[in-house]
Amino acid sequence: MKRKTLTSVISAVALATSAGLAHAADKGEVEVLHWWTSGGEAKSAAVLKEMLEKQGYGWKDFAVAGGGGESAMTVLKTRAVSGNPPAAAQIKGHDIQEWADLGFLTTLDGTASAEKWEQVLPKVVSSVMKYDDKYVAVPVNVHRVNWLWANPAVFEKAGAKIPTTWDEFIVAADKIKAAGLIPLAHGGQAWQDATVFEAIALETMGAELYMKAFKMHDPDALGSVKMVETFEKFRTLKQYIDKDSPGRDWNIATNMVIEGKAGMQIMGDWAKGEFAAAGKKPGVDYICAPAPGTAGMFTFNIDSFAFFNLKDANDAAAQQALAKTILSPKFQEVFNLNKGSIPVRLDQDMSAFDQCALDSMATFKAANTSGKLVPSWSHGLATTSQIQGAIYDVVTNYFNDDKVSATETVDKLVRAVKSAM
Amino acid sequence: MSTSHVLSEPVIRPQSKRFSLDGLQKWLPKLVLAPTMLITIVCIYGYMAWTTLISFSNSSFLPSYKLVGFKQYIKLLDNDRWLVSSTNLLIFGLLFIAICLVLGIFLAILLDQQIQQEGAIRTIFLYPMAISFIVTGTAWKWILNPGLGLEKMLNDWGWSSFQFDWLVDPQMSIYTLVIAAVWQSSGFVMALFLAGLRGIDPAIVKAAQIDGASKPTIYRRIVLPCLRPVFFSAIIVLSHIAIKSFDLVTALTSGGPGYSSDLPALFMYSHAFTRGQMGLGAASAMMMLAGVLAILVPYLYSELRGQRHD
């Protein structure tokens, strides 16, 4: 009797385990390469994992630390070349096209049509995610890059008002300077120079010429008078920046605005995370406004996952489930609340978001219809990393070397872009 | 070689056993060295050849083997940032080596005067070498930052006109690298020269003293010429440090402001690994290799020729 019970227990356990195993094998597993390793980002990754496991799929974390994802990309290249890529990897902008071009990416069209991605995603966004008119990647969020962050206390002290145009910006900056404070918090790193330059370029050139220059790389647009004007305006900013800025990280610059040492910062909406972490409230302790002269325009930066060809059919099924989950309204809400960005779905319920995110979403939708939604080249959405790097070099060199003229620099820009193509 | 044979001769063993042992003795060093040799050939010379191949290809962000001739080299020479980083290497390398040598020799001579606590002082001077360049770079970044370090400190102490903002001045930023690198490496040069000084026969110095030569003359005419081999090794080691310099510039200036303090190693890394221009990166790596060879080949030549004369 006793023996019988034991065997039955054993067989029950065996059955259960084999069922469990079969279950797991049935449903497949995804390995996800990402660099969400800090605070809020890591929390978001955990949410995604949980949502997938609820559906019965396995999740194998493949997190590689290092903010910009440089080390992650090196690991990914090795894995991909050796024929063992992860199911999905955090790849952005034009790099998606390059990976797809080399034949590494799988298509998500089945899931895309079942989930009606065509209807919920703006065309500008979906075009970044497609290769050869097929979905190969999914977006997780939209960042607006052309933001101006301001400290109202500083403005009050200086008797200035939040600028909406470039001229107003100069007036306000002069007043803040006269009050003995730093008008513009800035970190002198190539990508931050580029971020500020991009906002001025959008204001000066307008969306159409901006696209011609930075997405189509039209030599006439790159060498235009408006481009010279952009460079000249860019240099006038220098007098409003403190001289310690070279090498400063962006979040330290944001902190200068938080503490009231500086009046403004031009930075993407990831800066909101810093204000939130310091316990500041939007509209009260800090103000988010469009970068001067770019109201109604939207430079977007999108984080996305590209999906690789897998050999195992079950894992491929899990991969499709991952794509579906990333774009689900629930994950979009949780993730973007943590990250400071806005959801990528046009039909998203925005009730949980703050005023800055609501403004951002409204501009996003309006810009999408008015054609003023443009990809950010400074964050790799408009062009290849080669061309991006070439423009970085020209912009940052001009900003730091007072001896070169704007016209010379524009010539240099045209040549640099051409040789990087 | 010949002495070891003489030593092993008197041992008497049965003929056959002796033969196998001799065989083993003959082959053992080669067997032991073989794996290392193989790894060296593949991982140094093999990869060198591979980099050469990549530098002639149109590789973008993954290696490709479509050859395009000298296109990447032409692009490289046309690249303003590459010109800046090569010039910077020249300035940095020359100043770094020269200042390190002068300071190192000076410290070594001072330490050689039979002073008390020599061991402790030597350790203090040598210790910076034990610190990684990343740490040196970060520390000097704070010290040289006008809003945080030296300038602010002296201003706060009342010397309000004091200005030292090389770190944020594109014209001067390269010299801040020299300061930090010299601080780290001159102690090491001192140790090399101190060892050299100790190796000089005191009898020669004594003889010169009896002849009535002054101390500076003794050092200038006798001691320093004797240290020629030490000069050579110091220059070789220092120029290697200069050419491969990456961590120091990454931590101290990240090549900035702009790319005014960029060095070839940093240029190579950012193009090959973050900007998806592997071909261009490989071409710059080959140029750096050429730089190393330009120093190494004359050195090896003079060393080998020297041996023949002995």
Side-chain angles (χ1 to χ4, degrees):
Chain A
M1 188 63 194
K2 208 175 176 184
R3 197 188 187 125
K4 208 172 174 184
T5 342
L6 193 65
T7 35
S8 62
V9 167
I10 290 173
S11 56
V13 169
L15 248 171
T17 14
S18 68
L21 280 176
H23 185 70
D26 251 7
K27 290 288 241 176
E29 184 184 61
V30 282
E31 190 180 7
V32 185
L33 172 67
H34 62 87
W35 54 89
W36 293 333
T37 45
S38 69
E41 295 177 333
K43 236 190 279 170
S44 312
V47 170
L48 187 56
K49 178 186 173 180
E50 199 182 295
M51 287 175 81
L52 264 182
E53 280 174 349
K54 242 181 229 161
Q55 298 170 49
Y57 298 104
W59 166 282
K60 200 167 156 197
D61 207 45
F62 183 9
V64 180
E70 283 169 17
S71 27
M73 279 304 113
T74 315
V75 178
L76 179 64
K77 280 173 201 167
T78 342
R79 286 279 302 266
V81 170
S82 67
N84 178 30
Q90 213 179 329
I91 300 178
K92 254 175 72 171
H94 209 279
D95 286 353
I96 297 171
Q97 311 297 320
E98 296 205 18
W99 280 102
D101 198 36
L102 292 164
F104 281 107
L105 301 187
T106 187
T107 172
L108 301 167
D109 265 14
T111 313
S113 59
E115 292 291 310
K116 302 197 171 58
W117 287 359
E118 280 299 280
Q119 279 94 306
V120 296
L121 294 183
K123 218 173 148 30
V124 189
V125 174
S126 63
S127 71
V128 180
M129 302 301 141
K130 283 185 194 170
Y131 175 75
D132 210 5
D133 217 28
K134 289 190 176 74
Y135 280 95
V136 289
V138 290
V140 285
N141 63 353
V142 177
H143 281 295
R144 186 184 189 184
V145 186
N146 58 327
W147 273 119
L148 178 80
W149 305 93
N151 186 328
V154 172
F155 273 77
E156 205 173 306
K157 209 164 156 192
K161 69 182 186 65
I162 306 292
T164 55
T165 65
W166 178 255
D167 295 329
E168 284 178 28
F169 178 85
I170 302 289
V171 174
D174 279 331
K175 281 186 179 162
I176 296 172
K177 202 177 176 185
L181 291 160
I182 302 162
L184 188 69
H186 180 67
Q189 292 171 335
W191 73 270
Q192 294 189 54
D193 291 344
T195 303
V196 174
F197 179 80
E198 181 180 83
I200 303 173
L202 188 62
E203 182 264 342
T204 314
M205 301 169 77
E208 203 180 323
L209 195 60
Y210 173 99
M211 286 293 275
K212 261 191 197 153
F214 297 114
K215 183 146 172 86
M216 273 83 101
H217 310 307
D218 174 28
D220 294 336
L222 280 169
S224 62
V225 187
K226 288 279 181 195
M227 187 66 89
V228 179
E229 202 183 308
T230 306
F231 271 105
E232 278 163 355
K233 280 182 182 170
F234 185 44
R235 182 168 278 165
T236 55
L237 271 189
K238 238 180 134 168
Q239 54 184 306
Y240 302 120
I241 296 169
D242 61 315
K243 70 170 182 172
D244 293 345
S245 77
R248 179 189 286 149
D249 285 321
W250 69 270
N251 50 339
I252 296 174
T254 310
N255 236 43
M256 290 165 63
V257 180
I258 294 174
E259 286 171 8
K261 279 189 210 155
M264 303 174 266
Q265 184 186 19
I266 295 173
M267 186 45 65
D269 51 16
W270 45 91
K272 204 167 76 185
E274 296 294 310
F275 286 103
K280 304 288 177 188
K281 282 194 183 59
V284 185
D285 302 314
Y286 68 96
I287 286 167
C288 47
T294 64
M297 297 193 236
F298 195 109
T299 11
F300 68 85
N301 174 21
I302 302 172
D303 289 326
S304 51
F305 277 99
F307 287 72
F308 284 79
N309 277 318
L310 295 182
K311 289 182 198 110
D312 188 294
N314 287 327
D315 289 349
Q319 195 181 28
Q320 300 289 335
L322 172 68
K324 189 178 141 189
T325 312
I326 288 175
L327 264 183
S328 69
K330 189 180 166 225
F331 178 71
Q332 287 284 318
E333 179 175 312
V334 176
F335 178 82
N336 288 303
L337 281 174
N338 280 338
K339 187 108 195 273
S341 42
I342 58 167
V344 68
R345 293 177 71 108
L346 291 170
D347 61 350
Q348 183 82 28
D349 169 29
M350 294 292 288
S351 50
F353 288 85
D354 66 10
Q355 193 55 46
C356 293
L358 291 178
D359 288 352
S360 186
M361 193 64 172
T363 317
F364 181 55
K365 284 180 180 162
N368 184 35
T369 46
S370 68
K372 287 179 174 169
L373 183 61
V374 296
S376 156
W377 61 263
S378 68
H379 293 272
L381 265 296
T383 181
T384 61
S385 42
Q386 283 103 300
I387 297 180
Q388 184 193 350
I391 308 178
Y392 268 22
D393 281 349
V394 174
V395 168
T396 193
N397 187 48
Y398 170 81
F399 197 55
N400 286 290
D401 187 352
D402 290 332
K403 277 181 285 185
V404 285
S405 77
T407 5
E408 257 176 84
T409 305
V410 168
D411 284 344
K412 226 191 227 176
L413 181 72
V414 176
R415 270 187 290 125
V417 170
K418 201 177 144 209
S419 86
M421 276 206 273
Chain B
M1 259 321 202
S2 57
T3 42
S4 71
H5 268 292
V6 174
L7 280 175
S8 62
E9 214 72 69
V11 186
I12 299 152
R13 288 203 187 95
Q15 201 63 37
S16 63
K17 201 177 175 186
R18 194 182 147 189
F19 172 76
S20 73
L21 263 181
D22 264 4
L24 192 66
Q25 229 164 29
K26 200 172 150 194
W27 282 103
L28 196 60
K30 285 176 191 161
L31 271 175
V32 172
L33 276 179
T36 331
M37 191 77 179
L38 192 73
I39 291 169
T40 311
I41 288 175
V42 172
C43 294
I44 296 182
Y45 299 97
Y47 288 160
M48 228 184 241
W50 188 73
T51 310
T52 317
L53 181 66
I54 293 291
S55 76
F56 288 109
S57 74
N58 67 342
S59 305
S60 58
F61 80 124
L62 283 179
S64 106
Y65 300 101
K66 209 178 134 210
L67 298 183
V68 291
F70 283 95
K71 200 176 144 204
Q72 304 286 8
Y73 289 90
I74 294 167
K75 256 191 192 174
L76 188 66
L77 295 178
D78 202 31
N79 190 322
D80 188 49
R81 187 170 160 189
W82 171 254
L83 296 181
V84 170
S85 50
S86 320
T87 328
N88 278 344
L89 179 60
L90 210 65
I91 299 172
F92 172 70
L94 288 177
L95 282 177
F96 167 64
I97 294 172
I99 300 175
C100 268
L101 280 179
V102 170
L103 262 180
I105 293 170
F106 185 61
L107 289 175
I109 290 176
L110 289 185
L111 263 183
D112 198 32
Q113 309 302 317
Q114 270 110 38
I115 53 169
Q116 281 182 336
Q117 300 298 323
E118 190 205 305
I121 297 170
R122 202 172 49 205
T123 314
I124 291 171
F125 282 134
L126 191 57
Y127 205 69
M129 195 70 185
I131 302 171
S132 149
F133 262 125
I134 284 282
V135 179
T136 307
T138 313
W140 278 93
K141 187 176 166 180
W142 292 334
I143 298 171
L144 296 174
N145 187 315
L148 271 178
L150 207 58
E151 182 178 317
K152 185 172 187 298
M153 188 179 80
L154 288 172
N155 289 350
D156 289 349
W157 283 357
W159 186 1
S160 54
S161 63
F162 180 81
Q163 225 192 347
F164 189 71
D165 57 355
W166 288 8
L167 189 67
V168 296
D169 181 354
Q171 305 299 323
M172 303 304 283
S173 55
I174 185 69
Y175 301 105
T176 61
L177 289 179
V178 178
I179 296 176
V182 165
W183 175 81
Q184 169 143 10
S185 302
S186 52
F188 162 71
V189 178
M190 175 211 76
L192 277 182
F193 276 94
L194 197 58
L197 287 172
R198 295 286 149 83
I200 288 171
D201 190 353
I204 307 175
V205 180
K206 277 264 162 60
Q209 271 170 346
I210 290 164
D211 284 348
S214 67
K215 230 172 191 171
T217 320
I218 295 174
Y219 274 108
R220 195 163 49 83
R221 305 288 292 271
I222 301 168
V223 176
L224 289 181
C226 285
L227 293 178
R228 221 177 71 105
V230 184
F231 268 103
F232 261 121
S233 357
I235 289 172
I236 291 293
V237 172
L238 290 176
S239 49
H240 271 105
I241 293 179
I243 291 174
K244 71 175 186 193
S245 214
F246 173 81
D247 30 12
L248 181 68
V249 63
T250 306
L252 186 59
T253 64
S254 328
Y259 48 78
S260 61
S261 62
D262 201 19
L263 288 179
L266 194 63
F267 179 94
M268 185 262 158
Y269 178 82
S270 68
H271 282 79
F273 300 117
T274 64
R275 286 196 181 172
Q277 285 175 287
M278 231 176 220
L280 193 70
S284 68
M286 294 315 292
M287 299 295 273
M288 282 163 67
L289 177 67
V292 176
L293 288 181
I295 299 167
L296 207 61
V297 168
Y299 170 69
L300 284 178
Y301 180 73
S302 74
E303 282 290 287
L304 294 177
R305 208 184 48 171
Q307 262 172 19
R308 219 179 299 137
H309 277 292
D310 289 338

